[in-house]
Every structure is written in C-alpha cells, then in structure tokens.
Amino acid sequence: MKVSLNWLKDYVDITVPLSDLAERLTLALEAEGHESFLDRSRLPVGQPYNAELREAIEGCDLFVFLVAPESVAQGSYARSELSLAEQRWRRPAGRVLPVMVAPTPFESIPPYLGAVTLLQPQGDAVAETVAAVARMQRRPRRWLAWVAIAVLAAAAAGGFAWQQHRAEQTRIALESQVAKELGSARELCASGSFAAAWPRFDELVARYAGRRDVLDARADCGMQWLREIRVQVGKQTFTDIVKLVQPALVEQLAGATGTRAADLRAHLGWAEYLRGRDGAADTEASALYKRALVDDPTNVYAHAMWGHNLMMAGKEKEAIEHFEAAVAAKRERASVRTMQLSSTVWRIGLVHHAVRVANDMRRSQESIDSGTRSRLWRLAYYGLLFNTSAEARAEFLALLPAADHLASFDWLFPDPSSVSSEADIWHFCRALLLANTGQTAAARDVLQSIKARLEASKSNGFLLDETRRQLAALR
C-alpha cells in the first residue's frame, strides 16, 4: 500500500515534536512492510516541490493527515497539499486517514477531513496510526505492491520552518535573558551605584562577546559615571575611575560615527580633564572636544564639558558661548545645567553666572537640586545681596531684570524655612528685591517688621544696622 503522510514539523507545543513523530511513524510503517517516502530525504534540495508531491500523492493508496492547529490553518502548506489529495479522491473514505496529534478545534478542521472518522489516539500515536493503516489494508480493496509515505512540501518546508522556529525561540529566550541582566546592571548605574554596576557590565561583555547592545550599555554607564564622578579623598582618585572606564569608551569609539562618536570623544576629553586634576593627563581635553565637534557640531557634551573647562580656567566669554550652544541643542539638559552650575556656583567670583543660569532654569521650568539652592543662597544672596557693600549689592541687583530677580528668589527659596535659621535675612533680601521692582511700601513694611523684632529682642549687629539704613533710604 502506498501511504501519503501529511504533517507539519514546526508545531512544537506538544510533548513530541511532529518531526520526531513523522520519523517514528515512517520507520514503524516500513517495519510493517510498507515502502516509505520522506520528502526531506527524497526531494532534491532547492527544486520545486509541487511536481514531486503531486506524483507522490497520485502514486499512493492512503493519505495520512496529521491534524494540528498549524496544519489546518488557512493558507498553510498542509492545506494546499490536502487539496491535491482531494483532487485525486473526491470521496476520502478509505483513502484519507486524519490523525489528531495535537488539540485542535473541530470547527477549524477542513470539511474534507471531517467526512471520515478522525483517529484520536489515546496512547502511542504511532502505534495506533499503524494499527489503523493495517485495518484499512485488510478491507476488500486492490492495493498496490508497495507503500509510500509521502511527507509533503509542508514537511520539507516545515522541517526548515521548525528549525527556524526553534532557532527563533532560542533567540527570543537569549534576548530575554540579556535584557533582564542588562536591565539589572542599568538600574545599578542609574541609581549611582557605578562601582557595583561596572563589574556586572564586564561580566556581560565577557559572557555575550561581541554583542553591540551590551557594549553600548557599558559605555553609556561609563559616560554617566564620568559625568557624575565622586571620589573619596585619600582613598580614591579621578584617575582610578578613569582607568576603569576609558578602555571601554575607546573600544566603542572604533566603530562609532556621528553623534555617538562625538559623545564618546567628549567623555574621553572629560576623562583627560579629570586626570589633569590629578596631574596625570596625557592629552589635552580641548583637542578631544574639538574633534567631537567635527563629528557632531552641535554635540551637547562636547560644548558643555568644554564650557566647564573654560569657565574654570577663567575664560568666561568662550565658556558662555559653549554653554549657550549646549543649551540650544535641547538634549541632555540636566547634564548641561550640572556642568554650568558646577563651574560657577562653587566660586564666589563666578556666582553671578550661576544666578543667571538659575533664572533661565526657572523660566524653562527645569528642576534644581537642593545642594545647588543652598550654595546659591550662601554665595549669591547671603554673600552678594545681604552681607556686602552698597556697590556690590547694586551690581548684584543689576544681574537680572527686577521682576526676574524676585521671581527667581521666590522659586529658589519659597519661604523662610528654606534657608534654615536665617529667616530674618530671607525677609531682608526679599524686601530689597521688592523695592527693586518698585514695590516700595511692601518692602518698607517687611523691613519695619524686621526692625521691630530685632529691637524687641535687644539684638544688635549688621542686620539691624542695614535694616535701619534701608528704611531710611526708602523714606
């Protein structure tokens, strides 16, 4: 008897893959004296299937269709091959044996198969299918001398598809694992735990050698570490951290172009600047910033980092130009502001730049950290608006339009409690800013309240003297 066996090898959601089931069924039928035909071995590689398969079906006596969701799906190869059997045998009884090998909704089974009894194995599918073939062979019918098990185009294509499916499943599992491990390392980096994150990234680079996403993630963490670098004085230096991070950035730079290359070069320049603070720099940071701006003329990191270096060197005009370019790039604004403020707010001679930056941040509705607020209070408002000479105070008030000055003060220090125990000084500074906007009566009321409190407590000193002097000036 010639038997045509239809199956789909890429169905893998059963205990035994259909590829294994077909192999076992082929061997079992051959053991019963049937000659098998398996297209994976009989069909020439790369040649059209249709002619060979049509010939196989036309030469067989029995067509075995292994029913699974994929084999009965509309548009599947198996459905196409079933149509060849239907063309040969208008009536499937005695010629077609459908075998349920995976749970399949009955409404999805083609009517042609539904016209005959569906074999639903309760035990070993191979043994029960061979037994069913034997029963059909014993019925009164003229059988050909040999049996061919024609595993149709679905088998060859399905075999490849099954391998592709398994490969795809393996790939998906790998991607999921990498994503999970990368996510954990990234979380450590994002939290500022750079020293803990870095060994994790090194392990991933070693485990998943050559993966660009892993290498990029490590470089991203390294760049963030350099931007947010902190060292324990006496225990660690900037150079110690740079030595860990620098090789990873150089490795990524080799294949980078455009903005990515510029980001990496800028951070390598920043690394040299940090090493220079330890007296260990090998290269001028500015050379790397310049090269980064060739890769990407608007690169935010190159402009911000170069601006920081120039501001610290006292080259204020050039620094401001670079900072303005960095802000205009509208990318990584928080990093730009950190660079701007860190180059100004810690130096009394440059704090007026920090006041302007804070005003810009307020107008852009950006956030500012409490440490910077505290530093601005101490150096700018306490130092240049309260505890200073009349000339220095006038110069400070001229930094911004009067309304902006008052708005920025209220944004930075919304109430007296924001400056700890210096509530009277907060009221004094705000009174001067009110007067600067022309709100003389309101300013005078505030100053009068300060004067009354200080005199009632029999306090003396600079604050009371300045309060009296400002009251006299406002009259």
Side-chain angles (χ1 to χ4, degrees):
M1 177 176 64
K2 292 185 177 182
V3 180
S4 175
L5 175 64
N6 177 278
W7 59 289
L8 190 66
K9 290 171 65 176
D10 63 349
Y11 186 78
V12 297
D13 294 329
I14 57 177
T15 303
V16 180
L18 287 182
S19 56
D20 296 343
L21 180 61
E23 294 281 1
R24 288 174 51 207
L25 186 53
T26 299
L27 294 173
L29 287 169
E30 287 179 345
E32 292 295 313
H34 306 305
E35 183 178 344
S36 67
F37 179 92
L38 185 62
D39 63 353
R40 186 177 58 195
S41 58
R42 300 287 180 82
L43 293 180
V45 176
Q47 293 188 14
Y49 294 126
N50 289 353
E52 295 278 357
L53 294 172
R54 184 180 295 277
E55 182 179 341
I57 292 174
E58 289 177 353
C60 71
D61 297 295
L62 181 64
F63 183 84
V64 179
F65 191 100
L66 302 191
V67 177
E70 284 75 5
S71 65
V72 299
Q74 289 291 342
S76 68
Y77 280 116
R79 289 289 292 262
S80 299
E81 292 140 14
L82 181 62
S83 68
L84 295 177
E86 191 172 357
Q87 290 172 22
R88 182 178 181 198
W89 299 298
R90 186 162 173 256
R91 301 176 185 277
R95 297 296 187 180
V96 177
L97 174 62
V99 181
M100 178 82 80
V101 294
T104 306
F106 280 94
E107 61 270 17
S108 67
I109 297 175
Y112 184 70
L113 293 178
V116 293
T117 302
L118 175 67
L119 177 63
Q120 301 183 62
Q122 301 301 307
D124 184 0
V126 170
E128 294 189 35
T129 302
V130 170
V133 170
R135 289 193 298 272
M136 296 178 75
Q137 187 178 10
R138 286 196 294 271
R139 293 175 184 173
R141 184 179 298 279
R142 177 178 172 276
W143 300 97
L144 296 181
W146 64 285
V147 178
I149 299 179
V151 184
L152 307 183
F160 177 66
W162 179 75
Q163 293 176 3
Q164 283 187 316
H165 183 78
R166 290 292 297 273
E168 179 65 9
Q169 292 299 311
T170 301
R171 186 192 67 79
I172 291 172
L174 175 63
E175 293 302 319
S176 176
Q177 181 66 21
V178 173
K180 180 179 178 181
E181 293 177 345
L182 268 183
S184 176
R186 284 190 176 112
E187 285 179 10
L188 279 174
C189 194
S191 70
S193 301
F194 303 111
W198 199 251
R200 294 272 191 96
F201 279 113
D202 282 342
E203 289 173 9
L204 294 177
V205 168
R207 189 179 310 149
Y208 305 112
R211 282 191 63 115
R212 189 78 188 184
D213 55 347
V214 176
L215 293 169
D216 283 342
R218 181 177 64 169
D220 289 340
C221 183
M223 289 190 285
Q224 184 182 348
W225 195 357
L226 291 177
R227 292 195 304 274
E228 301 177 17
I229 196 166
R230 299 288 186 274
V231 296
Q232 295 178 302
V233 179
K235 295 183 178 180
Q236 190 181 42
T237 66
F238 292 119
T239 302
D240 293 333
I241 296 173
V242 168
K243 284 181 178 179
L244 290 175
V245 173
Q246 196 174 48
L249 304 192
V250 172
E251 180 180 359
Q252 286 302 89
L253 183 59
T257 59
T259 298
R260 182 64 173 178
D263 287 352
L264 291 163
R265 285 190 208 280
H267 283 83
L268 288 170
W270 186 249
E272 288 302 314
Y273 163 74
L274 293 171
R275 293 185 67 213
R277 293 179 63 174
D278 294 335
D282 296 324
T283 305
E284 282 290 333
S286 59
L288 289 162
Y289 300 142
K290 288 177 183 177
R291 182 65 179 84
L293 292 176
V294 171
D295 294 324
D296 174 16
T298 63
N299 189 261
V300 65
Y301 293 122
H303 279 300
M305 291 170 175
W306 201 355
H308 178 283
N309 295 176
L310 290 167
M311 187 67 79
M312 296 296 286
K315 299 178 180 180
E316 298 176 34
K317 183 178 179 181
E318 294 176 67
I320 290 172
E321 290 175 355
H322 281 292
F323 280 131
E324 287 177 348
V327 170
K330 296 181 179 179
R331 173 178 168 237
E332 299 295 338
R333 182 65 64 82
S335 292
V336 174
R337 296 307 193 188
T338 297
M339 293 285 174
Q340 280 185 296
L341 292 169
S342 65
S343 67
T344 56
V345 78
W346 295 98
R347 299 180 65 182
I348 190 66
L350 298 174
V351 74
H352 55 285
H353 290 300
V355 173
R356 293 192 182 101
V357 171
N359 183 59
D360 287 343
M361 293 174 70
R362 173 190 63 81
R363 296 177 67 178
S364 300
Q365 298 183 330
E366 300 171 47
S367 61
I368 190 168
D369 65 272
S370 59
T372 300
R373 291 175 190 267
S374 178
R375 193 68 180 173
L376 278 168
W377 168 255
R378 183 57 48 190
L379 288 183
Y381 294 91
Y382 185 94
L384 298 178
L385 187 58
F386 167 63
N387 190 25
T388 188
S389 64
E391 293 77 12
R393 184 174 293 151
E395 183 179 348
F396 179 80
L397 290 173
L399 286 175
L400 299 173
D404 282 347
H405 241 320
L406 180 60
S408 287
F409 181 88
D410 287 343
W411 176 67
L412 289 166
F413 319 108
D415 55 65
S417 64
S418 58
V419 294
S420 188
S421 61
E422 298 172 323
D424 280 335
I425 297 174
W426 180 91
H427 283 294
F428 177 87
C429 290
R430 194 169 189 280
L432 295 187
L433 292 170
L434 282 168
N436 192 46
T437 64
Q439 301 179 64
T440 306
R444 190 164 52 240
D445 289 344
V446 173
L447 292 171
Q448 189 61 51
S449 297
I450 296 171
K451 176 177 174 290
R453 283 196 301 274
L454 292 175
E455 289 177 342
S457 63
K458 301 186 184 302
S459 297
N460 292 300
F462 183 78
L463 177 57
L464 180 56
D465 292 343
E466 282 299 299
T467 300
R468 289 168 175 165
R469 195 172 74 80
Q470 292 300 321
L471 278 170
L474 290 177
R475 293 193 188 97

